[in-house]
Amino acid sequence: MVILVTLPGLDGSPYLQGCLPYSMQQLPGAQSIQHQQILYPPDQTMDYGELARWELPQLPHDEDFVLLGESFGGPLA
């Protein structure tokens, strides 16, 4: 099992998530991919360093994962 962890863009909206479930179904071996979405805290303003420290504990620690960042989330990924 591999986990696909996604990070949103600057506005924090999960735009990528709208098309992701359909797109993932098209991948070979899609049954072995699990999706985890991390959203930014809506009530806080953070820079990249603060967001990275906030996001780190939410990442899988005992399983393989791929980190995909949408737009603003790219450098965090």
Side-chain angles (χ1 to χ4, degrees), residues 3 7 22 27 36 43 53 57 59 61-62 65 68 72:
I3 301 172
L7 303 173
Y22 174 77
L27 295 173
Q36 175 184 336
D43 59 342
R53 286 186 294 278
L59 296 173
H61 293 282
D62 298 330
F65 68 94
L68 175 63
F72 176 82

Side-chain angles (χ1 to χ4, degrees), residues 5 36-39 41 51 53-61:
V5 180
Q36 175 184 336
Q37 179 181 1
I38 296 178
L39 298 177
L51 281 169
R53 286 186 294 278
W54 179 84
E55 143 192 324
L56 189 60
Q58 298 181 65
L59 296 173
H61 293 282

Side-chain angles (χ1 to χ4, degrees), residues 2-6 16 19-35 66 68:
V2 173
I3 301 172
L4 174 62
V5 180
T6 55
L16 180 65
C19 61
L20 190 61
Y22 174 77
S23 299
M24 284 180 58
Q25 291 174 0
Q26 307 309 310
L27 295 173
Q31 302 82 0
S32 64
I33 301 172
Q34 180 183 349
H35 178 233
V66 174
L68 175 63

